[in-house]
Amino acid sequence: MRKISATIKDVAKYTGLSIATISKYINGGNVLDKNRKKIEEAIKVLDFRVNELARGLKTNRTMTVGVLIPSLKNIFFTSIISNVENILLKHGYSTIVCDYRESSNLEKEKLNFLVNKMVDGIIVVPHGGDVSHIQDVRDKNIPIVFIDRMIKEIDCDVVLSDNLNAAYEAVEQLIIRGHRRIGIIAGPKDVYTTKERVKGYIRVHEDHDVNVDESLIKYGDYDIKSGYNILQKFIEMDSPPTSIFVTNYEMTLGAIMAINENDIKIPDQMSLVGFDNIQMAKVVKPSLSIVVQPIEQIGETAANILLKRLKNDYEGFPSTNRLKTEIMIKDSVGTIRS
Amino acid sequence: MRKISATIKDVAKYTGLSIATISKYINGGNVLDKNRKKIEEAIKVLDFRVNELARGLKTNRTMTVGVLIPSLKNIFFTSIISNVENILLKHGYSTIVCDYRESSNLEKEKLNFLVNKMVDGIIVVPHGGDVSHIQDVRDKNIPIVFIDRMIKEIDCDVVLSDNLNAAYEAVEQLIIRGHRRIGIIAGPKDVYTTKERVKGYIRVHEDHDVNVDESLIKYGDYDIKSGYNILQKFIEMDSPPTSIFVTNYEMTLGAIMAINENDIKIPDQMSLVGFDNIQMAKVVKPSLSIVVQPIEQIGETAANILLKRLKNDYEGFPSTNRLKTEIMIKDSVGTIRS
DNA sequence: TTAAAGGAGCTAAACGTTTCGCGTTAGGAG
DNA sequence: CTCCTAACGCGAAACGTTTAGCTCCTTTAA
């Protein structure tokens, strides 16, 4: 059986002091120097560690934060978590990570699970659609920070990319280079990021007096397959677009697969701007132009806001942190001579 | 402040029963039907949830499992975790995920952190090198399952790919196609997987009576940069290899970058076999031949073994689970006419 | 010399469960 | 009608902490 470790009681016995004094020492209180030495010795000798359960029971805090993302196989999200986890850990918090595999039901279930685990706070990439279960959590006064997507219905701190401008700038680069028929492979129609990116796409057309052809706006699922299928459809159009803007990483992969299979020459036959993952951009040939989200910064910001809320500092609540993206134009974008 | 939720006491009061009876009900004991109904009603009305801290304090279990991997940005590991997490959750366990960013010190620190968090079990991709801190955890009788890498010094359940045969088969495909100078981009010299893969590389040479040129075995860091650098070095050799076998995903990326930059024609000038990530394999052009590890299965196996050990079933301990890999030969491998 | 002030330590209650051992009850058998 | 046997319910202790409020002692200033 598991060896039971020393308790505060053992330390008290060893040192001849009372439990209260040991507790005081542990929590940074003042004790006499000779006692401090004795306690430290005892802790070392007995290999004493605070029982976080007992502590949590008293303090009503688990020093645990739940992180809920759509998929652990999505490097965009796991990279964010990597930062979140490291920052939280520095403040003594551990991170329970769950993914909900893009299922709204699972999201609900896992959120509930996290609440049962009595996490002190939650960082979540909300799925959208029905959000009542998130509201339920808010009602329990558990701090929540949204990442990547906003839920208008719920007052909450949120950290995300400036998706509108990201799309704006990406498409603008194409317009500048003479493209007039620009296809966009967007995400699911009801997801926040999709709407923002499409908004940017439309606005830049308007600002440059380019007509928006609705048939060039196609909605996918943010997965590889839909990127593939939609690109295929674009190719089969009577007058296909001269360039494509793909709005997330997985669909970018799918689009490239379709391009490769159809032996389409980039950028001569078609220009391409993708999304996320610099490494990928460098690996494909010709090198891919992409929109880059500030992944590190998103994680950092989210973690810090949550830490602030955990300290009961609700200054600026609810804050919306819209972080700037970058655009990298590489060989996959060509110029149209008109 | 956080709303304080109903306790077992409140349920007792509501139902007029004693605390002990409620507890009994919660834990699946028998209660009279009318009482059961009342309790269920009370739980619903009061929104009662078991306080896991209090429970854990009594039972000495946290229903929490720690997972420690080298990097959360490595999709190979996060995919495994995705499975692990889902299986464990079905059994009521939550998963605390940490990465140690390839640093042995951080590994130690985070392992310690997990122990302090009183996890019931640990799944770890060990870094290798000094392993005394892992032994310390074992000595506390906390079940540990190793993933991906074996530590000979420690008796432990381990789940990994059959790396030796993976390399054997990959290189064999090259030999069959007439290649005689096959470069291998291996991982760090002291990592278990590296050794196994190099062993396979050497053995297949011997079995086919092909001479092993030591200068064709180069050791990297399992990161993108070293894949890039080593491929560069191969190119600059007086008589460069006709084919390259890269032994993990990140280095495969790096290698392809170098190939693209040097405008090397695949497979005419050089054949390439990479590692992991089917999606990548399909996206690059020409389509990449790769070794595929049974990612799903690794996670599943590890989770199940850990669950078994958590139930104190030590049948077959320590078990070594070596799972079969697959090889996909695509366009990046060509035949040498001799 | 004495009083005030402040530091350090102590006692004891409390957090929300589980669990042991005992008391109560219902219902069937005789 | 009585007795016995399960089944069910209960009281109380225990898990390892934190913390409020108290006491005691030392120090300092008048």
Side-chain angles (χ1 to χ4, degrees):
Chain A
M1 283 288 98
R2 179 144 177 194
K3 213 180 279 178
I4 49 171
S5 42
T7 75
I8 210 175
K9 236 183 240 168
D10 300 317
V11 178
K13 205 168 288 170
Y14 186 101
T15 57
L17 295 162
S18 81
I19 289 181
T21 307
I22 312 298
S23 173
K24 199 185 205 179
Y25 165 84
I26 293 170
N27 294 293
N30 272 334
V31 295
L32 289 185
D33 231 40
K34 60 168 189 175
N35 287 338
R36 170 186 313 279
K37 287 220 181 76
K38 250 202 221 142
I39 295 176
E40 276 161 5
E41 180 197 326
I43 289 180
K44 196 159 221 169
V45 170
L46 303 171
D47 187 30
F48 166 78
R49 298 151 190 253
V50 173
N51 183 324
E52 298 279 352
L53 291 171
R55 171 182 277 175
L57 182 57
K58 275 305 287 185
T59 61
N60 239 330
R61 307 199 308 164
T62 53
M63 294 304 280
T64 295
V65 164
V67 176
L68 189 52
I69 59 174
S71 168
L72 270 164
K73 296 180 186 169
N74 184 316
I75 199 168
F76 173 65
F77 296 125
T78 59
S79 299
I80 291 175
I81 290 183
S82 177
N83 262 312
V84 168
E85 192 262 321
N86 271 280
I87 293 177
L88 290 179
L89 182 121
K90 278 188 197 125
H91 293 78
Y93 286 91
S94 53
T95 309
I96 296 183
V97 177
C98 300
D99 67 354
Y100 54 82
R101 304 195 162 186
E102 313 282 2
S103 139
S104 197
N105 278 339
L106 256 186
E107 183 198 20
K108 189 170 170 177
E109 197 178 300
K110 299 223 174 173
L111 204 58
N112 203 40
F113 178 78
L114 289 175
V115 173
N116 281 340
K117 282 287 171 179
M118 321 217 320
V119 294
D120 294 334
I122 293 178
I123 293 181
V124 58
V125 177
H127 182 268
D130 176 30
V131 294
S132 56
H133 51 291
I134 299 185
Q135 187 60 53
D136 290 348
V137 177
R138 268 229 59 78
D139 292 345
K140 292 190 165 50
N141 278 317
I142 301 175
I144 302 182
V145 175
F146 287 147
I147 276 189
D148 191 51
R149 302 171 190 176
M150 207 152 108
I151 302 282
K152 284 184 298 292
E153 295 90 332
I154 301 182
D155 271 352
C156 222
D157 294 299
V158 52
V159 182
L160 34 60
S161 301
D162 185 349
N163 288 294
L164 196 155
N165 280 318
Y168 190 104
E169 286 165 16
V171 175
E172 188 167 44
Q173 290 298 321
L174 293 168
I175 292 179
I176 288 173
R177 285 172 175 73
H179 292 270
R180 288 301 172 266
R181 290 186 59 70
I182 302 169
I184 178 171
I185 303 184
K189 242 182 176 155
D190 55 340
V191 168
Y192 178 78
T193 48
T194 300
K195 293 182 202 156
E196 291 291 298
R197 288 167 193 168
V198 170
K199 236 184 251 172
Y201 169 88
I202 292 175
R203 186 171 302 169
V204 70
H205 276 73
E206 292 169 354
D207 290 356
H208 287 263
D209 284 323
V210 179
N211 189 41
V212 175
D213 179 348
E214 291 285 343
S215 70
L216 293 183
I217 304 179
K218 295 200 188 294
Y219 296 91
D221 283 339
Y222 273 156
D223 61 14
I224 295 186
K225 195 163 209 167
S226 70
Y228 180 94
N229 290 338
I230 293 175
L231 198 110
Q232 202 77 33
K233 275 192 203 132
F234 273 136
I235 295 172
E236 290 161 4
M237 283 176 76
D238 288 338
S239 77
T242 60
S243 57
I244 308 273
F245 174 43
V246 197
T247 60
N248 89 326
Y249 170 60
E250 279 73 20
M251 294 196 299
T252 303
L253 286 183
I256 297 176
M257 288 181 197
I259 287 170
N260 284 349
E261 277 189 25
N262 287 278
D263 239 331
I264 292 174
K265 301 269 176 300
I266 301 283
D268 301 340
Q269 290 174 263
M270 189 176 263
S271 288
L272 188 68
V273 177
F275 224 90
D276 281 338
N277 205 322
I278 298 187
Q279 293 162 4
M280 160 66 51
K282 287 188 192 159
V283 168
V284 300
K285 211 176 161 186
S287 60
L288 186 62
S289 308
I290 48 166
V291 171
V292 183
Q293 300 192 67
I295 294 186
E296 309 258 313
Q297 214 188 329
I298 292 178
E300 203 182 307
T301 311
N304 284 327
I305 292 179
L306 187 62
L307 283 169
K308 195 167 148 184
R309 302 310 181 214
L310 287 170
K311 276 188 250 160
N312 239 300
D313 175 354
Y314 273 85
E315 181 240 317
F317 178 88
S319 68
T320 301
N321 307 74
R322 215 180 288 275
L323 307 180
K324 277 225 74 53
T325 60
E326 240 180 89
I327 177 146
M328 287 178 30
I329 296 296
K330 293 292 190 66
D331 303 342
S332 72
V333 170
T335 301
I336 299 267
R337 319 148 281 281
S338 49
Chain B
M1 282 288 100
R2 178 142 176 196
K3 209 180 279 176
I4 190 156
S5 44
T7 75
I8 211 174
K9 236 184 241 170
D10 301 316
V11 178
K13 205 168 287 171
Y14 186 100
T15 57
L17 294 164
S18 80
I19 290 181
T21 306
I22 312 299
S23 173
K24 199 186 207 179
Y25 166 84
I26 294 170
N27 295 292
N30 272 334
V31 294
L32 288 185
D33 232 40
K34 60 167 188 176
N35 287 338
R36 167 184 317 276
K37 288 218 181 77
K38 249 200 222 147
I39 295 176
E40 275 160 5
E41 180 196 326
I43 289 180
K44 197 159 220 166
V45 171
L46 303 172
D47 187 30
F48 165 78
R49 298 152 191 253
V50 173
N51 182 324
E52 298 279 351
L53 290 172
R55 172 181 277 176
L57 182 57
K58 277 303 287 185
T59 61
N60 239 330
R61 308 199 307 164
T62 55
M63 295 303 279
T64 294
V65 165
V67 176
L68 189 52
I69 58 173
S71 168
L72 270 164
K73 296 180 186 169
N74 185 315
I75 199 168
F76 173 65
F77 295 126
T78 59
S79 299
I80 291 175
I81 289 183
S82 177
N83 263 312
V84 168
E85 193 262 321
N86 271 279
I87 294 176
L88 290 179
L89 183 119
K90 279 190 197 120
H91 293 79
Y93 285 92
S94 52
T95 308
I96 296 183
V97 176
C98 301
D99 67 354
Y100 54 82
R101 304 194 163 188
E102 312 283 0
S103 138
S104 197
N105 278 340
L106 255 187
E107 184 198 20
K108 189 170 170 178
E109 196 178 299
K110 299 223 175 175
L111 204 58
N112 203 40
F113 178 77
L114 289 174
V115 172
N116 281 340
K117 281 286 171 179
M118 322 217 317
V119 294
D120 295 333
I122 293 178
I123 294 180
V124 58
V125 178
H127 182 269
D130 176 29
V131 294
S132 56
H133 51 291
I134 300 185
Q135 186 61 53
D136 290 347
V137 177
R138 267 229 60 79
D139 291 347
K140 292 190 167 48
N141 278 316
I142 301 175
I144 303 182
V145 175
F146 288 148
I147 276 189
D148 191 53
R149 302 171 190 176
M150 207 151 109
I151 302 282
K152 285 184 297 291
E153 295 91 332
I154 301 181
D155 271 351
C156 221
D157 295 299
V158 52
V159 182
L160 34 60
S161 300
D162 186 347
N163 288 294
L164 196 154
N165 279 318
Y168 189 104
E169 286 165 16
V171 175
E172 188 168 43
Q173 291 298 322
L174 294 168
I175 293 179
I176 288 174
R177 285 170 175 73
H179 292 270
R180 289 300 173 266
R181 290 185 60 71
I182 303 168
I184 179 171
I185 304 185
K189 242 181 176 157
D190 55 341
V191 168
Y192 177 79
T193 48
T194 300
K195 293 182 203 158
E196 290 291 297
R197 288 166 192 169
V198 169
K199 236 185 251 172
Y201 170 89
I202 292 175
R203 186 170 302 168
V204 70
H205 276 72
E206 292 169 354
D207 288 357
H208 285 265
D209 284 323
V210 179
N211 189 42
V212 175
D213 179 349
E214 291 286 342
S215 70
L216 295 182
I217 304 179
K218 295 200 188 295
Y219 296 90
D221 283 339
Y222 273 155
D223 61 16
I224 296 186
K225 195 164 211 166
S226 70
Y228 180 93
N229 290 339
I230 293 174
L231 197 110
Q232 202 78 31
K233 274 192 206 135
F234 273 136
I235 295 172
E236 290 161 4
M237 283 176 75
D238 289 338
S239 78
T242 59
S243 56
I244 308 272
F245 173 44
V246 197
T247 59
N248 89 327
Y249 170 59
E250 279 73 19
M251 294 196 300
T252 304
L253 285 183
I256 296 177
M257 289 180 196
I259 286 169
N260 284 350
E261 277 188 26
N262 287 278
D263 240 329
I264 292 175
K265 301 268 176 302
I266 299 285
D268 302 339
Q269 288 174 263
M270 189 176 262
S271 288
L272 188 69
V273 177
F275 224 90
D276 281 338
N277 206 323
I278 298 186
Q279 293 162 4
M280 159 68 50
K282 286 189 193 160
V283 169
V284 301
K285 212 174 158 185
S287 61
L288 186 62
S289 308
I290 48 167
V291 170
V292 183
Q293 299 192 66
I295 293 186
E296 310 257 312
Q297 214 188 330
I298 293 177
E300 202 182 308
T301 310
N304 285 326
I305 292 180
L306 186 61
L307 283 169
K308 197 167 147 183
R309 302 311 182 213
L310 286 170
K311 276 188 249 160
N312 239 300
D313 175 353
Y314 273 84
E315 182 240 318
F317 180 88
S319 67
T320 301
N321 306 74
R322 214 180 287 275
L323 307 178
K324 276 225 77 50
T325 61
E326 240 180 272
I327 177 146
M328 286 179 28
I329 296 295
K330 294 291 190 66
D331 303 342
S332 73
V333 170
T335 301
I336 298 267
R337 315 149 283 279
S338 51

